Structure formats: C-alpha cells, structure tokens
Amino acid sequence: MENRTVVSEFILLGIPNTKGHETILFISFLVFYLCTLLGNLFILSAILADSHLHTPMYFFLCNLSVVDLGFSSISTPKLLVSLWAKSKTISLGGCMSQVFFYHFLASTECLLCTVMAYDRYVAICHPLRYLIIMNWRVCAILAAGTWITSSFHAIILTSLTFTLPYCGPNEVDYFLCDIFPVVKLACADTYVIETVTFINTGVVPMTCFLLILLSYIRIVYSILKMTSAEGRRKAASTSISHMTVVTLFFGPCAVVYTQPQLSKVLETAVQLFGYVATPMLNPVIYTLRKKEVKAALRKLIVALQSRKVL
C-alpha cells in the first residue's frame, strides 16, 4: 500500500491582502461580534420577559436570534485569534465543527426566513384566521422542522466531506473551513461531494427564495387592496422588516454566485459581510421598526437598572 500521512490539522490562510492591517481588523471584528451578542441577547430577553410579545412572529424572531448568535460564533472567534495571535491552525475536529455548524445554521436561517414569510402572509392575507392557522402547535412544528431538516442537511454534507482522505497539503484558502476550499485538499475523487453540495446549496436557497417571493407577491396584492391607511402602514412595516432581513441573507449569496468575475478580495469582503455584519443587523432592523420591541427593551433596561440600585 502507498504510504500516506493523514492530515490532523489544517491551516486557514485567512483574509487575503491584510498584512499590516491585523490590529484594525481585529478591533472591527471584535466590535461587530460583541454588538451581535449583545443585540441578539437583548432581543431574546425582551421577548421572553414581555408577555405581549408572545406571538408567532416574535417566537420565530427568537429562533432567528439564536441562529444569529450561533452563526456569528462559527468563524469570528477563530478569526479574532488568527488576527491577534497569528495562530492560523485549526484541528481536524475544529474544521469538521465549522463545516457542520455553518451549513446547519445557514440552512436553518434560510428555512426560518421562509417560515416567517408564510407567517406574514397568513397575518396580512387571512387576519381573522391568523391565530387559528398559526396556533402554538403549528409554530412549534414549523420551528422544529427547520432545525431538524437543517441538521440532516449538515450531517450529510459534513460526512461526505470528511470521509474523503486528506493526506497532502493542509492549507485552506479561506478564513474558515467550508466544503469547497477543504475538498480541494482531498487526495481522492471529489466529484460526488462537489455535485451533492452544489445541488443542495443551490436547490434549498432557490426553493426558499421562490416561496418567499410568492408569499410577498400575495402580501403586496393584499396591502394594495386595503382601504385603511393605518392598516396598510402597519402591514407594510412588518413586511419591510422581514424583507430587509431576507435581502441581507440572500444578497451576499446572489452577488458571489452571479458575479464569478469578482476578485478574491471583493468576494471575501462580500462573504465577510454575510458572516459578520448580517447577524448584528438583524436585531437592529426589528428593534428600529417595531414599537413593541423598543418598548419591551426599555422595560428590560429599567428592570435591570432597578436591580442594580437594589
């Protein structure tokens, strides 16, 4: 048999063309990460503490905040260590974890955006039957379905990736472990995993996007038919928040996959925006456009201040 050295760790090459800018990048990513953690934790705490926000829409928003907390933690801590301590190595287990949780949480957010679009469709197009259709049993099934489906999706892709033998170079040309940069290093045929990944990461988001688009075509039609200006304003406000979140999620993917001529630097910048900035912006979008959330946050801050005084 041919002698082969099994790879036990990988080296993440990181963000290209950043030599000499490590300190400013470290501070920037640290600020983004802390804002993401604080923003999403505040949203979760405010919704859980205020019974007026115990509705289907805010239930799904809680799920989205949990996803954002996890998604921002996949690569940012390792990226911070790489920038500060110049430590670019990651163990095989760590690399597997990054691949799994990236696809698990990305798929979950994609499905959650679709479920939230359906929730807005029912709320605006069938307001009198909203609480009957979107009862807590249905909400729990929809939320659990997104997490369970995504876990199977991630398990399949991660298993196919790391059942391949890695016995040669171990430098991953990216700032985190993802399937395509990793399988380039495999010393075996990668046709199956590349085909399955391309189909999965193409079909799932495209299907979700089309369902969201259909929901919003129907929502816009219903809003235009409303006779009450206040009703139109309220319906448009809740829809705009969700549409902004959907744009932030699908936008970077669309830019990367529809513009193959993008330079490596621009491509990395767009992808970093999706990984680092989007999880921070999601709670800001909902907080700024929702009076109920702002009121709940004020109550939470007052309660925390009262405890400090006591």
Side-chain angles (χ1 to χ4, degrees):
M1 293 180 63
E2 183 182 351
N3 288 328
R4 289 180 173 179
T5 304
V6 178
V7 171
S8 59
E9 64 180 23
F10 292 95
I11 298 171
L12 299 174
L13 296 183
I15 308 168
N17 303 325
T18 56
K19 193 171 182 180
H21 304 286
E22 289 86 357
T23 303
I24 188 66
L25 286 172
F26 174 83
I27 294 170
S28 301
F29 289 138
L30 181 61
V31 170
F32 272 107
Y33 186 52
L34 292 176
C35 289
T36 299
L37 295 181
L38 289 172
N40 284 288
L41 286 172
F42 265 119
I43 287 285
L44 279 170
S45 303
I47 292 172
L48 293 173
D50 193 335
S51 59
H52 294 98
L53 299 182
H54 293 177
T55 63
M57 181 177 73
Y58 290 109
F59 170 70
F60 293 124
L61 181 56
C62 278
N63 279 265
L64 184 63
S65 290
V66 172
V67 170
D68 285 336
L69 284 169
F71 199 73
S72 62
S73 300
I74 295 169
S75 60
T76 308
K78 180 60 186 172
L79 192 55
L80 291 172
V81 171
S82 174
L83 290 168
W84 184 257
K86 308 294 189 294
S87 174
K88 296 180 179 293
T89 60
I90 184 170
S91 67
L92 180 62
C95 193
M96 290 174 68
S97 297
Q98 282 195 340
V99 170
F100 172 79
F101 283 107
Y102 169 68
H103 287 276
F104 172 51
L105 294 172
S107 177
T108 303
E109 183 159 355
C110 186
L111 294 172
L112 264 177
C113 285
T114 310
V115 169
M116 292 172 80
Y118 175 70
D119 172 70
R120 291 299 83 210
Y121 160 74
V122 177
I124 294 169
C125 300
H126 304 285
L128 299 178
R129 297 167 54 205
Y130 176 61
L131 292 177
I132 298 171
I133 297 172
M134 297 299 293
N135 59 65
W136 284 113
R137 182 172 176 272
V138 171
C139 291
I141 290 171
L142 289 171
T146 62
W147 291 96
I148 294 168
T149 302
S150 299
S151 66
F152 283 119
H153 168 80
I155 287 169
I156 291 168
L157 293 180
T158 307
S159 300
L160 287 172
T161 301
F162 290 98
T163 50
L164 293 170
Y166 294 91
C167 47
N170 64 341
E171 292 185 342
V172 179
D173 189 16
Y174 206 40
F175 57 88
L176 84 160
C177 286
D178 196 9
I179 292 173
F180 287 116
V182 170
V183 297
K184 287 179 182 177
L185 307 176
C187 44
D189 182 30
T190 60
Y191 174 78
V192 173
I193 177 60
E194 288 180 346
T195 304
V196 171
T197 303
F198 184 78
I199 292 171
N200 276 19
T201 56
V203 170
V204 173
M206 185 57 68
T207 303
C208 290
F209 180 77
L210 289 174
L211 290 172
I212 292 168
L213 185 63
L214 289 172
S215 296
Y216 273 98
I217 288 172
R218 186 68 179 86
I219 286 169
V220 170
Y221 178 72
S222 295
I223 290 174
L224 292 175
K225 285 178 63 179
M226 290 179 181
T227 54
S228 166
E230 178 63 22
R232 282 199 301 270
R233 187 198 63 77
K234 190 173 180 181
S237 176
T238 58
S239 301
I240 287 169
S241 297
H242 181 253
M243 287 173 69
T244 307
V245 169
V246 169
T247 303
L248 287 173
F249 179 75
F250 286 100
C253 299
V255 170
V256 170
Y257 289 108
T258 60
Q259 302 292 326
Q261 73 276 14
L262 275 180
S263 68
K264 184 72 175 174
V265 175
L266 283 175
E267 182 182 335
T268 305
V270 171
Q271 290 171 329
L272 277 170
F273 178 84
Y275 292 127
V276 178
T278 300
M280 183 198 72
L281 292 174
N282 285 346
V284 174
I285 292 162
Y286 276 96
T287 302
L288 290 177
R289 297 202 60 89
K290 298 289 183 183
K291 291 180 181 178
E292 302 94 333
V293 179
K294 286 190 279 189
L297 283 171
R298 281 195 292 268
K299 285 182 186 177
L300 183 64
I301 292 168
V302 169
L304 290 172
Q305 288 174 342
S306 301
R307 288 184 182 180
K308 283 183 180 180
V309 171
L310 294 173

